Amino acid sequence: MSSKLPKDLLTILPSWDTISGVQAQPLPGTSYGVSFELPKGKVGQVVEYDLGALGSDVKDVLRVTRVDVYWLAPSTSKPLPTNLDTQLLLLRLTDGRIAAVFPLTTSGYMGTLRGTEYGGVIARFLQDAKPQGGKHTISQLAVAFATSAYDAVKDVVRAARRLSEHHHKHKGELVLPKETHIFSGGITYCTWNSLHPPTPATTHNALGTLKGFAKHDIHPSTFLIDDAWQDYDNLRLQSFGSRAVFLDGMENLGELVATAKKYYGVTQVGAWHTIGGYWCGVEPKNFIDKYKLVKVAKDGYPGPFEPEGFSYYIPHPSDVGRFFDDYYGELASHGITFTKCDNMASLDNLVSAYEVTTVTPNDEVLGAAVSIQSIPPAFKNAVLAAAEKHFGHKTGGRVIFCMEMTPRVLLGEEIGWPNPHVSERHVLRNSCDYFPDQPNSHRYHIFTNLVNAMFTSQLNIVPDFDMFQSHSYIRPREDGNEPNGVSAKDDYPQAAFHAALRAFGAGPVTLTDVPGKTDPEIVRKLIGSNLRMTTSPIAGRSIALHAARSPFLSDDIFDPSILQEGAGKAMRVFSRRGEDGTEGGLIGYWNVRSANGVVDDAVTMGDILTLVGSHDTDTRKFVVHSFKTGKAQKIDTATTKIDLPIHLGPFEFEIITVAPLLSHIIVTPLRPNPASKEAETNHQSIVRVGAFGLIDKYNPLAGLASFSFDFSSSSWEAGVRCSGKLGIFVPDMSSGEAKSRIAITADDKDKSFEVEEMGGGVLITIALEPAEAAEPQGVGIPLPVRLSLAGM
């Protein structure tokens, strides 16, 4: 290591070279590890290093801060808060580069950033374990420089992995590349907002929503029974059973699970609980005879509704494994196949823990103090072990972790950091809740999920954008609405606003509709039906059309004006179909402006190049399609000037699908002229075709499994995953020529199509209905749709 800090580091924080003992380690790319030697002390001590003020070359700031105990949220405001932990700091410099500063968290310490009263930056380390062998603990920050915010985030997390102790224990790039999970490809129904007043939280109302879905040919593969099912009182868990009012006459939870599977085709059923059992832990007199308990007290970090010092009872860290083993065994006996574990971060903000020796109606006896540092890892490992044992799969997708956005969860080896013992990423909630009753929350929910996902998707995490409703908010009757109706103030298009966002995410697509209120037109833009007739029990499930990888953002996220009132720019969102952009993808434009702000913006070639990158002449020709207008056109990223206006009112968005043009050379033999002495020649022409996918969906390309030229049939073949309107663009062709030359087949049967001339070519649309193919060939096998040209 060198004791002199590189110039790059001094550009962003000129004063930290004055800190005694600070050292910098160059890493691959333009990345660094900055190390501090923590003084020897006891577990629980906090050590702070004043890094000084940001340098004069820092133009803009974007920070991702833990705004309460549970959630990270982005902000462009500065200075950094003095009482809140910032997990990621992005700095836009005057030379155009982006710097990222990322404090590490290990089993030895939790690292964060905070602000000072004079506007500076503090590196803050909370010691979680004594250093081994009497040595000092080395705490670290990762710093990376890149040309975009997205690349800076990727690079700084990669640098942190190289620095962390886990990199040395488990060699290799251990973040799993695929953002897949047990919910991938299907939709989920969650009871949470669905069963809020005026709808009672009962089994029969939950089944009522599933029945309403089925009426519209919407068939979730997953059913999540959220809060309100458990046996609780005074916010304490009373037993492993269910509330009688929730069961509503059913014998137990298993009857609900069996009914949902039998009549509505769900294959996965999950149950919600908190990491402590229920919101305020467990009822000690009901559990102390079977499990060791501890009484814990909260610190004063902002967020919880309970005050600082509030105490409650949870399983002892030495016995929590047995607690969750028994609990999950009970759930599995009722047919539960996964859980949603809430309130995770509450265990990271405790100030004390004591063994509970005796509990009587009027008194309690407390025993020895318990290490609060031992509690979080014990509970995380207990949940994961119980899920693996009882839900049958050694994958991360068997538990959805919620209210978990603390460094010890996101960067702990058990869940978010590299771990060689899991075969899938863990699914973690990515923002604070969806609030259908709060009109001003929707825009920031979009903004927060998209910024956070740029960071969390670089971990062993699949970001979950939370549930949404496909209809307007249904207020409780006492709020002045008609019984189970929609009031005028709630009649605004927030449903589509959220639905389209879920199409850009790789996480679960979750609906929480009130029984009988589903808007099928919204949901159908997110899903499709199986195209093959088959008796398979999973063939009837709706197919969710969402991205295979998390989206990324442009550097406009540094501009605070995109969240302000008035007219201005949209928030730009990019979703690539492949790794490098050559396969095209989606560009989303969301109006996240405050109040009744509007977007006056345009699709530019810069947007296209951000998505597809700069490539050679064979891969620079694309076609683009507007979800909002239905119009399409061809572009060449090297020569075309594109300026498509975008005008968005409140709660509006636009999605531009970008697809590559595939080329095929057609060779036509020319008959020789008997009177000519010239040799026979062939005529060559290039025909280009681009496939958008299912253009009636928010994510058209997600409906397209493949698209290529099939030499055996001399045609372009699209492998289509589900029902919808397939859009194919042929440039440099008139509608008359298209109608006379083009033939379409679906599963080798002639298929009618529509033609519309636009944008320097023709848009061909083919309506594909459920069970398009009469012969069963297995679920999940794409339907071949071929386009051939006469004269080929």
Side-chain angles (χ1 to χ4, degrees):
M1 290 186 180
S2 169
S3 60
K4 183 175 178 59
L5 296 185
K7 181 180 178 181
D8 275 338
L9 297 178
L10 298 176
T11 298
I12 59 173
L13 287 161
S15 299
W16 67 357
D17 199 25
T18 62
I19 299 172
S20 176
V22 65
Q23 293 183 314
Q25 172 188 354
L27 297 171
T30 313
S31 302
Y32 305 91
V34 181
S35 301
F36 308 85
E37 187 177 88
L38 298 182
K40 293 181 180 180
K42 64 180 181 178
V43 173
Q45 77 168 351
V46 174
V47 180
E48 295 182 340
Y49 294 94
D50 190 340
L51 307 183
L54 295 173
S56 59
D57 287 340
V58 175
K59 180 181 176 184
D60 299 299
V61 169
L62 178 70
R63 55 180 173 83
V64 179
T65 298
R66 191 157 62 110
V67 293
D68 59 28
V69 169
Y70 318 106
W71 301 116
L72 292 175
S75 174
T76 56
S77 68
K78 53 184 180 181
L80 275 64
T82 59
N83 66 330
L84 301 175
D85 294 330
T86 290
Q87 185 59 63
L88 177 66
L89 181 62
L90 298 178
L91 308 171
R92 182 157 62 175
L93 308 181
T94 54
D95 62 8
R97 292 185 302 161
I98 309 296
V101 183
F102 180 51
L104 271 66
T105 289
T106 71
S107 60
Y109 63 87
M110 183 179 81
T112 59
L113 302 173
R114 289 194 179 186
T116 66
E117 295 295 338
Y118 67 86
V121 179
I122 285 175
R124 186 176 191 270
F125 301 98
L126 172 60
Q127 192 157 320
D128 281 343
K130 291 183 178 179
Q132 296 180 352
K135 298 179 180 179
H136 288 276
T137 297
I138 302 299
S139 58
Q140 295 177 307
L141 303 176
V143 183
F145 295 81
T147 57
S148 71
Y150 178 52
D151 287 333
V153 172
K154 287 196 300 182
D155 290 349
V156 81
V157 175
R158 187 178 296 115
R161 288 201 295 270
R162 290 181 174 275
L163 292 171
S164 74
E165 62 184 1
H166 310 302
H167 175 78
H168 301 297
K169 275 198 232 174
H170 315 300
K171 300 295 184 183
E173 194 77 3
L174 294 174
V175 171
L176 298 164
K178 292 185 178 180
E179 295 183 57
T180 54
H181 43 84
I182 64 170
F183 315 106
S184 296
I187 60 171
T188 298
Y189 163 53
C190 177
T191 61
W192 176 235
N193 296 106
S194 173
L195 304 186
H196 274 187
T199 307
T202 68
T203 56
H204 292 96
N205 282 329
L207 294 173
T209 294
L210 288 173
K211 182 178 180 180
F213 287 151
K215 177 183 175 182
H216 296 299
D217 200 23
I218 298 167
H219 304 285
S221 59
T222 304
F223 174 31
L224 174 55
I225 306 165
D226 212 299
D227 189 4
W229 73 269
Q230 289 171 293
D231 179 18
Y232 68 88
D233 188 42
N234 292 323
L235 298 181
R236 292 177 177 176
L237 189 70
Q238 303 296 309
S239 73
F240 290 159
S242 303
R243 299 185 80 198
V245 67
F246 175 79
L247 291 177
D248 197 19
M250 288 190 174
E251 182 179 355
N252 53 40
L253 195 64
E255 187 175 345
L256 172 61
V257 173
T259 303
K261 289 182 177 181
K262 179 178 180 180
Y263 293 103
Y264 301 107
V266 298
T267 54
Q268 303 286 349
V269 182
W272 174 98
H273 65 84
T274 74
I275 189 64
Y278 201 65
W279 290 110
C280 292
V282 301
E283 182 63 58
K285 62 183 176 63
N286 294 354
F287 286 90
I288 195 167
D289 289 339
K290 191 167 184 180
Y291 307 101
K292 293 174 63 177
L293 301 180
V294 292
K295 186 176 184 179
V296 296
K298 294 191 171 189
D299 68 8
Y301 200 98
F305 65 86
E306 306 94 349
E308 181 178 357
F310 179 84
S311 59
Y312 58 102
Y313 306 88
I314 59 175
H316 193 288
S318 68
D319 215 12
V320 68
R322 196 163 58 88
F323 176 88
F324 277 111
D325 185 15
D326 291 347
Y327 202 177
Y328 280 26
E330 176 75 11
L331 292 174
S333 73
H334 292 308
I336 296 297
T337 57
F338 73 96
T339 59
K340 176 181 176 182
C341 185
D342 215 329
N343 205 26
M344 287 290 296
S346 62
L347 300 184
D348 276 347
N349 289 87
L350 303 176
V351 291
S352 66
Y354 291 92
E355 292 182 355
V356 181
T357 303
T358 307
V359 173
T360 66
N362 300 314
D363 198 10
E364 66 182 6
V365 177
L366 300 181
V370 175
S371 165
I372 58 176
Q373 288 77 23
S374 70
I375 294 175
F379 274 67
K380 287 181 284 188
N381 284 323
V383 167
L384 292 170
E388 179 184 334
K389 177 179 177 180
H390 294 288
F391 302 148
H393 292 271
K394 193 172 184 178
T395 65
R398 293 290 162 178
V399 182
I400 298 174
F401 291 102
C402 186
M403 297 177 71
E404 81 303 329
M405 302 189 89
T406 169
R408 292 192 186 98
V409 176
L410 297 180
L411 307 179
E413 187 176 14
E414 301 90 357
I415 296 176
W417 209 235
N419 187 332
H421 305 301
V422 296
S423 57
E424 288 187 355
R425 293 183 178 213
H426 293 283
V427 178
L428 273 69
R429 272 280 304 283
N430 193 55
S431 76
C432 190
D433 291 8
Y434 160 75
F435 295 110
D437 58 327
Q438 299 179 19
N440 290 329
S441 70
H442 302 298
R443 303 171 182 87
Y444 194 65
H445 184 89
I446 303 284
F447 178 79
T448 298
N449 268 293
L450 291 169
V451 175
N452 283 354
M454 264 205 324
F455 163 53
T456 55
S457 64
Q458 302 306 314
L459 309 174
N460 255 351
I461 288 170
V462 180
D464 178 355
F465 291 173
D466 200 14
M467 64 199 84
F468 73 99
Q469 292 181 327
S470 73
H471 53 78
S472 297
Y473 174 57
I474 308 295
R475 288 187 177 273
R477 293 189 179 98
E478 59 268 23
D479 282 4
N481 68 312
E482 293 298 320
N484 212 29
V486 177
S487 65
K489 62 182 176 181
D490 297 317
D491 193 14
Y492 57 92
Q494 57 93 4
F497 198 61
H498 284 280
L501 173 72
R502 275 57 178 184
F504 275 69
V509 176
T510 306
L511 289 162
T512 183
D513 285 358
V514 171
K517 295 298 178 180
T518 295
D519 184 343
E521 295 307 310
I522 297 290
V523 182
R524 285 177 188 141
K525 294 181 177 72
L526 260 176
I527 66 170
S529 299
N530 185 42
L531 288 167
R532 297 183 181 279
M533 292 178 63
T534 173
T535 57
S536 168
I538 65 172
R541 296 187 316 190
S542 297
I543 298 169
L545 298 177
H546 61 106
R549 52 179 56 82
S550 291
F552 63 99
L553 305 173
S554 73
D555 291 348
D556 286 345
I557 54 174
F558 285 99
D559 185 354
S561 71
I562 64 173
L563 291 168
Q564 295 172 359
E565 300 180 8
K569 292 189 295 186
M571 184 177 190
R572 286 160 161 77
V573 188
F574 301 87
S575 176
R576 284 177 176 161
R577 180 170 169 81
E579 288 290 338
D580 62 358
T582 56
E583 297 178 58
L586 308 179
I587 309 175
Y589 300 82
W590 261 267
N591 179 3
V592 294
R593 308 186 73 80
S594 300
N596 291 314
V598 298
V599 164
D600 288 322
D601 208 334
V603 181
T604 67
M605 187 55 71
D607 298 340
I608 304 294
L609 289 173
T610 298
L611 178 73
V612 305
S614 299
H615 304 288
D616 59 34
T617 55
D618 292 331
T619 54
R620 71 186 187 189
K621 300 182 187 300
F622 294 86
V623 286
V624 298
H625 177 268
S626 162
F627 179 83
K628 194 174 176 68
T629 68
K631 299 300 181 183
Q633 72 175 76
K634 65 176 182 177
I635 60 169
D636 185 321
T637 58
T639 60
T640 303
K641 292 183 179 179
I642 184 171
D643 188 16
L644 302 176
I646 295 178
H647 304 291
L648 303 174
F651 300 103
E652 290 188 346
F653 59 91
E654 167 70 294
I655 298 172
I656 300 296
T657 301
V658 182
L661 275 172
L662 301 186
S663 302
H664 180 68
I665 299 175
I666 299 175
V667 180
T668 306
L670 297 180
R671 294 181 179 177
N673 184 346
S676 173
K677 295 183 180 180
E678 294 181 4
E680 179 179 348
T681 60
N682 294 327
H683 174 72
Q684 292 187 354
S685 60
I686 299 176
V687 177
R688 294 184 172 90
V689 178
F692 293 120
L694 301 177
I695 58 175
D696 57 335
K697 313 298 183 184
Y698 296 125
N699 190 331
L701 289 169
L704 196 65
S706 60
F707 185 65
S708 61
F709 187 81
D710 179 29
F711 287 91
S712 64
S713 62
S714 295
S715 63
W716 283 268
E717 180 177 308
V720 185
R721 295 182 57 218
C722 62
S723 59
K725 184 186 289 186
L726 177 62
I728 297 176
F729 193 85
V730 184
D732 305 318
M733 182 177 286
S734 67
S735 58
E737 184 182 4
K739 291 175 182 177
S740 64
R741 292 190 62 194
I742 288 178
I744 302 288
T745 63
D747 205 35
D748 296 326
K749 297 177 180 64
D750 291 341
K751 186 70 179 173
S752 62
F753 58 93
E754 296 181 358
V755 179
E756 185 176 359
E757 199 168 324
M758 63 178 72
V762 290
L763 178 63
I764 311 295
T765 56
I766 306 105
L768 299 172
E769 303 296 334
E772 186 80 36
E775 295 298 324
Q777 297 184 26
V779 177
I781 299 177
L783 186 79
V785 178
R786 295 187 177 93
L787 181 152
S788 57
L789 285 174
M792 290 182 58

